[in-house]
Amino acid sequence: MTVKELAEKLGLKALSMPDGDREVLTGYAGDLLSWVMGKAPSDAAWFTIMSNINIIAVAMLRDVSAIVVCEGAEISNDVIARAEEQDINLLVSEKGIYDLCVELAKMI
Amino acid sequence: MSVPLKFHYDVHGEDFTSAGNASVQAKKALRQLGYDPNIIRRVSIAMYEGEINMVIHADGGSADIIVYPDYIEIVLADKGPGIPDVSKAMQEGFSTAPDNIRSLGFGAGMGLPNMKKHTDDMKIDTVIGEGTTITMRVNT
Protein backbone atom coordinates (compact mmCIF):
# COMPACT_ATOMS: atom_id res chain seq x y z
CA MET A 1 0.00 0.00 0.00
CA THR A 2 1.25 3.46 -0.82
CA VAL A 3 1.08 6.55 1.38
CA LYS A 4 -1.53 7.99 -0.98
CA GLU A 5 -3.69 4.89 -0.63
CA LEU A 6 -3.22 4.99 3.14
CA ALA A 7 -4.44 8.58 3.18
CA GLU A 8 -7.51 7.70 1.11
CA LYS A 9 -8.45 4.61 3.07
CA LEU A 10 -7.96 6.10 6.54
CA GLY A 11 -9.39 9.49 5.58
CA LEU A 12 -6.17 11.35 6.39
CA LYS A 13 -5.51 14.89 5.29
CA ALA A 14 -2.14 15.45 3.64
CA LEU A 15 -0.29 18.59 4.77
CA SER A 16 2.83 17.55 2.84
CA MET A 17 2.95 14.63 0.43
CA PRO A 18 6.06 14.87 -1.76
CA ASP A 19 6.25 11.09 -2.12
CA GLY A 20 2.72 9.68 -2.19
CA ASP A 21 3.92 6.55 -4.03
CA ARG A 22 6.13 5.52 -1.12
CA GLU A 23 5.23 2.07 0.20
CA VAL A 24 3.88 1.60 3.73
CA LEU A 25 4.97 -1.78 5.04
CA THR A 26 4.00 -1.49 8.68
CA GLY A 27 2.85 0.87 11.40
CA TYR A 28 4.40 2.34 14.54
CA ALA A 29 2.87 4.35 17.37
CA GLY A 30 4.84 6.51 19.78
CA ASP A 31 5.23 10.01 21.18
CA LEU A 32 8.53 9.97 23.03
CA LEU A 33 10.82 11.08 20.24
CA SER A 34 13.97 9.59 21.69
CA TRP A 35 12.15 6.28 22.01
CA VAL A 36 10.81 6.48 18.46
CA MET A 37 14.30 7.38 17.24
CA GLY A 38 15.63 4.14 18.66
CA LYS A 39 12.80 1.82 17.67
CA ALA A 40 10.60 2.89 14.76
CA PRO A 41 10.93 0.57 11.76
CA SER A 42 11.69 2.08 8.37
CA ASP A 43 8.85 2.18 5.83
CA ALA A 44 6.31 2.47 8.67
CA ALA A 45 3.40 4.85 8.97
CA TRP A 46 4.24 6.56 12.27
CA PHE A 47 1.21 7.50 14.37
CA THR A 48 1.79 10.14 17.03
CA ILE A 49 0.21 13.06 18.83
CA MET A 50 3.55 14.88 18.94
CA SER A 51 3.50 17.77 16.52
CA ASN A 52 6.59 19.88 17.25
CA ILE A 53 9.19 20.49 14.56
CA ASN A 54 11.51 17.75 15.81
CA ILE A 55 9.20 15.05 14.42
CA ILE A 56 10.45 15.88 10.92
CA ALA A 57 14.09 15.07 11.71
CA VAL A 58 13.06 11.87 13.48
CA ALA A 59 10.98 10.76 10.47
CA MET A 60 13.75 11.64 8.06
CA LEU A 61 16.51 9.89 10.00
CA ARG A 62 14.38 6.83 10.77
CA ASP A 63 13.16 6.55 7.14
CA VAL A 64 9.51 6.17 7.99
CA SER A 65 7.08 6.36 5.04
CA ALA A 66 4.84 8.95 6.62
CA ILE A 67 4.06 10.78 9.85
CA VAL A 68 0.41 10.66 10.86
CA VAL A 69 -0.37 13.25 13.53
CA CYS A 70 -3.52 11.98 15.22
CA GLU A 71 -6.30 13.19 17.48
CA GLY A 72 -6.42 16.61 15.86
CA ALA A 73 -3.14 17.78 17.39
CA GLU A 74 -2.31 21.19 15.99
CA ILE A 75 0.57 21.60 13.57
CA SER A 76 2.28 24.90 12.94
CA ASN A 77 3.24 26.18 9.51
CA ASP A 78 6.93 25.84 10.39
CA VAL A 79 6.49 22.10 10.77
CA ILE A 80 4.67 21.79 7.43
CA ALA A 81 7.38 23.87 5.71
CA ARG A 82 10.12 21.69 7.22
CA ALA A 83 8.30 18.53 6.06
CA GLU A 84 8.14 19.86 2.50
CA GLU A 85 11.80 20.91 2.63
CA GLN A 86 12.89 17.43 3.82
CA ASP A 87 10.53 15.48 1.51
CA ILE A 88 8.56 14.03 4.40
CA ASN A 89 4.97 12.85 4.00
CA LEU A 90 2.98 14.54 6.78
CA LEU A 91 -0.64 13.55 7.29
CA VAL A 92 -3.20 14.46 9.93
CA SER A 93 -6.35 12.95 11.36
CA GLU A 94 -8.97 13.74 13.97
CA LYS A 95 -9.15 10.05 14.86
CA GLY A 96 -7.37 8.39 17.77
CA ILE A 97 -4.12 6.49 17.44
CA TYR A 98 -5.68 3.19 18.48
CA ASP A 99 -8.48 3.42 15.93
CA LEU A 100 -6.10 4.31 13.11
CA CYS A 101 -3.72 1.47 14.00
CA VAL A 102 -6.60 -1.01 14.08
CA GLU A 103 -7.71 0.13 10.63
CA LEU A 104 -4.16 -0.09 9.28
CA ALA A 105 -3.72 -3.59 10.71
CA LYS A 106 -6.71 -4.76 8.68
CA MET A 107 -5.12 -3.47 5.48
CA ILE A 108 -1.56 -4.78 5.63
CA MET B 1 47.31 6.82 1.47
CA SER B 2 44.52 9.27 0.68
CA VAL B 3 43.34 11.79 3.22
CA PRO B 4 40.01 10.73 4.81
CA LEU B 5 36.93 12.70 3.88
CA LYS B 6 35.67 14.95 6.68
CA PHE B 7 32.39 16.73 7.30
CA HIS B 8 32.18 19.30 10.06
CA TYR B 9 28.97 20.65 11.59
CA ASP B 10 28.36 23.21 14.31
CA VAL B 11 25.52 22.32 16.66
CA HIS B 12 23.78 25.38 18.03
CA GLY B 13 22.64 25.18 21.61
CA GLU B 14 20.22 28.04 21.80
CA ASP B 15 17.73 26.84 19.22
CA PHE B 16 15.87 23.62 19.79
CA THR B 17 13.92 23.96 16.55
CA SER B 18 17.09 23.43 14.51
CA ALA B 19 18.22 20.42 16.56
CA GLY B 20 18.81 17.56 14.17
CA ASN B 21 19.84 19.72 11.22
CA ALA B 22 23.45 18.55 11.34
CA SER B 23 22.39 14.90 11.33
CA VAL B 24 20.02 15.48 8.42
CA GLN B 25 22.81 17.15 6.45
CA ALA B 26 25.22 14.34 7.30
CA LYS B 27 22.68 11.78 6.16
CA LYS B 28 22.36 13.53 2.80
CA ALA B 29 26.15 13.72 2.40
CA LEU B 30 26.54 9.99 3.11
CA ARG B 31 23.75 9.21 0.66
CA GLN B 32 25.65 11.06 -2.03
CA LEU B 33 28.68 8.92 -1.26
CA GLY B 34 26.53 5.88 -2.02
CA TYR B 35 26.61 4.13 1.34
CA ASP B 36 24.20 1.33 2.21
CA PRO B 37 20.98 2.82 3.71
CA ASN B 38 21.40 0.77 6.87
CA ILE B 39 24.90 2.17 7.49
CA ILE B 40 23.62 5.68 6.84
CA ARG B 41 20.72 5.20 9.24
CA ARG B 42 23.00 3.97 12.01
CA VAL B 43 25.44 6.87 11.60
CA SER B 44 22.75 9.51 11.40
CA ILE B 45 20.72 8.16 14.35
CA ALA B 46 23.82 7.98 16.57
CA MET B 47 24.77 11.49 15.52
CA TYR B 48 21.24 12.80 16.08
CA GLU B 49 21.10 11.50 19.62
CA GLY B 50 24.44 13.15 20.35
CA GLU B 51 23.30 16.35 18.74
CA ILE B 52 20.13 16.42 20.87
CA ASN B 53 22.22 15.75 23.99
CA MET B 54 24.52 18.64 23.17
CA VAL B 55 21.54 20.96 22.66
CA ILE B 56 19.88 19.87 25.92
CA HIS B 57 22.90 19.69 28.20
CA ALA B 58 25.87 21.54 26.75
CA ASP B 59 24.62 24.63 24.89
CA GLY B 60 25.71 23.06 21.62
CA GLY B 61 29.03 21.80 20.35
CA SER B 62 30.48 20.32 17.19
CA ALA B 63 29.94 17.17 15.19
CA ASP B 64 32.48 15.68 12.81
CA ILE B 65 32.02 12.78 10.45
CA ILE B 66 35.25 11.24 9.16
CA VAL B 67 34.99 8.72 6.37
CA TYR B 68 37.72 6.06 6.35
CA PRO B 69 38.01 3.21 3.84
CA ASP B 70 36.40 0.62 6.12
CA TYR B 71 34.57 2.63 8.79
CA ILE B 72 32.92 5.94 9.53
CA GLU B 73 33.91 7.84 12.66
CA ILE B 74 31.58 10.29 14.41
CA VAL B 75 33.15 12.72 16.86
CA LEU B 76 30.86 14.85 19.01
CA ALA B 77 32.54 17.43 21.19
CA ASP B 78 31.09 19.96 23.60
CA LYS B 79 32.21 22.28 26.36
CA GLY B 80 29.30 21.39 28.59
CA PRO B 81 29.15 20.33 32.23
CA GLY B 82 30.48 16.80 31.68
CA ILE B 83 28.78 13.54 32.67
CA PRO B 84 29.18 12.82 36.43
CA ASP B 85 28.36 9.10 36.22
CA VAL B 86 28.84 7.58 32.76
CA SER B 87 27.61 4.10 33.68
CA LYS B 88 24.38 5.56 35.05
CA ALA B 89 23.96 7.73 31.95
CA MET B 90 24.32 4.63 29.79
CA GLN B 91 21.30 2.97 31.45
CA GLU B 92 18.08 3.06 29.44
CA GLY B 93 15.57 5.32 31.14
CA PHE B 94 18.07 7.42 33.13
CA SER B 95 17.75 11.08 32.21
CA THR B 96 18.60 14.45 33.69
CA ALA B 97 16.76 16.43 31.01
CA PRO B 98 14.58 19.28 32.32
CA ASP B 99 10.77 19.24 32.06
CA ASN B 100 10.55 21.67 29.15
CA ILE B 101 12.67 19.27 27.08
CA ARG B 102 10.55 16.30 28.12
CA SER B 103 7.42 18.07 26.91
CA LEU B 104 8.99 18.10 23.43
CA GLY B 105 9.29 14.32 23.52
CA PHE B 106 12.91 14.01 24.59
CA GLY B 107 14.50 13.02 27.87
CA ALA B 108 13.40 9.38 27.78
CA GLY B 109 16.90 8.34 28.79
CA MET B 110 17.47 6.63 25.46
CA GLY B 111 20.09 8.89 23.90
CA LEU B 112 23.37 7.30 24.96
CA PRO B 113 21.96 3.73 24.84
CA ASN B 114 20.71 4.40 21.29
CA MET B 115 24.14 5.69 20.30
CA LYS B 116 25.79 2.56 21.61
CA LYS B 117 23.20 0.31 20.00
CA HIS B 118 23.66 1.82 16.55
CA THR B 119 27.46 1.88 16.47
CA ASP B 120 30.22 -0.74 16.53
CA ASP B 121 32.36 1.16 19.02
CA MET B 122 31.77 4.10 21.33
CA LYS B 123 34.14 5.94 23.62
CA ILE B 124 33.17 8.68 26.08
CA ASP B 125 35.77 11.14 27.33
CA THR B 126 34.25 13.47 29.86
CA VAL B 127 35.67 15.94 32.35
CA ILE B 128 33.39 17.63 34.88
CA GLY B 129 33.20 21.35 34.18
CA GLU B 130 35.17 21.10 30.94
CA GLY B 131 33.15 19.06 28.50
CA THR B 132 32.52 15.76 26.80
CA THR B 133 33.83 14.17 23.63
CA ILE B 134 32.14 11.06 22.28
CA THR B 135 33.85 9.10 19.53
CA MET B 136 31.83 6.45 17.71
CA ARG B 137 32.65 4.10 14.91
CA VAL B 138 30.41 2.37 12.38
CA ASN B 139 32.11 -0.29 10.31
CA THR B 140 31.32 -0.13 6.62
Side-chain angles (χ1 to χ4, degrees):
Chain A
M1 182 174 48
T2 64
V3 171
K4 207 174 159 204
E5 287 164 349
L6 176 87
E8 282 165 12
K9 287 178 178 166
L10 295 184
L12 311 173
K13 184 179 160 198
L15 298 183
S16 161
M17 196 155 61
D19 191 4
D21 294 328
R22 175 102 190 250
E23 283 290 318
V24 177
L25 300 182
T26 184
Y28 186 81
D31 302 317
L32 262 177
L33 299 189
S34 32
W35 192 274
V36 176
M37 183 53 104
K39 310 239 176 186
S42 54
D43 302 313
W46 169 30
F47 297 89
T48 184
I49 53 161
M50 206 43 105
S51 61
N52 69 64
I53 200 154
N54 300 293
I55 61 173
I56 306 302
V58 172
M60 197 271 182
L61 295 172
R62 209 60 222 188
D63 275 334
V64 300
S65 305
I67 309 172
V68 183
V69 177
C70 310
E71 313 198 6
E74 278 189 30
I75 302 184
S76 71
N77 290 334
D78 293 0
V79 177
I80 299 168
R82 184 75 65 89
E84 282 167 351
E85 198 183 295
Q86 301 293 349
D87 292 332
I88 298 294
N89 295 315
L90 178 63
L91 311 164
V92 289
S93 174
E94 296 292 323
K95 293 181 194 166
I97 293 181
Y98 174 77
D99 294 330
L100 290 166
C101 288
V102 168
E103 286 183 49
L104 176 68
K106 289 177 188 161
M107 296 188 294
I108 52 175
Chain B
M1 200 182 137
S2 61
V3 179
L5 196 54
K6 280 189 191 184
F7 301 95
H8 175 81
Y9 306 94
D10 290 318
V11 177
H12 301 290
E14 72 279 4
D15 181 11
F16 215 85
T17 61
S18 68
N21 283 2
S23 310
V24 167
Q25 284 175 44
K27 181 168 190 173
K28 288 178 179 167
L30 291 173
R31 259 190 198 156
Q32 282 172 358
L33 292 175
Y35 276 104
D36 176 81
N38 192 39
I39 299 282
I40 297 173
R41 193 175 311 128
R42 290 172 63 205
V43 170
S44 53
I45 287 170
M47 181 173 162
Y48 179 82
E49 294 288 7
E51 196 182 336
I52 293 293
N53 277 350
M54 290 195 287
V55 174
I56 296 174
H57 299 288
D59 196 27
S62 66
D64 288 275
I65 300 277
I66 307 141
V67 179
Y68 292 97
D70 51 358
Y71 64 94
I72 297 170
E73 192 170 73
I74 309 149
V75 182
L76 306 165
D78 68 58
K79 293 186 167 58
I83 304 170
D85 186 338
V86 172
S87 64
K88 218 172 181 179
M90 287 302 299
Q91 288 170 17
E92 279 193 14
F94 178 82
S95 174
T96 58
D99 285 347
N100 64 325
I101 298 298
R102 288 171 195 263
S103 69
L104 291 171
F106 298 104
M110 293 289 286
L112 287 169
N114 274 347
M115 288 156 76
K116 189 170 174 61
K117 186 177 137 192
H118 286 92
T119 55
D120 292 299
D121 187 59
M122 174 168 150
K123 193 166 86 87
I124 302 176
D125 294 307
T126 186
V127 179
I128 298 300
E130 288 185 23
T132 300
T133 297
I134 298 184
T135 308
M136 294 174 284
R137 180 184 282 211
V138 173
N139 296 331
T140 55

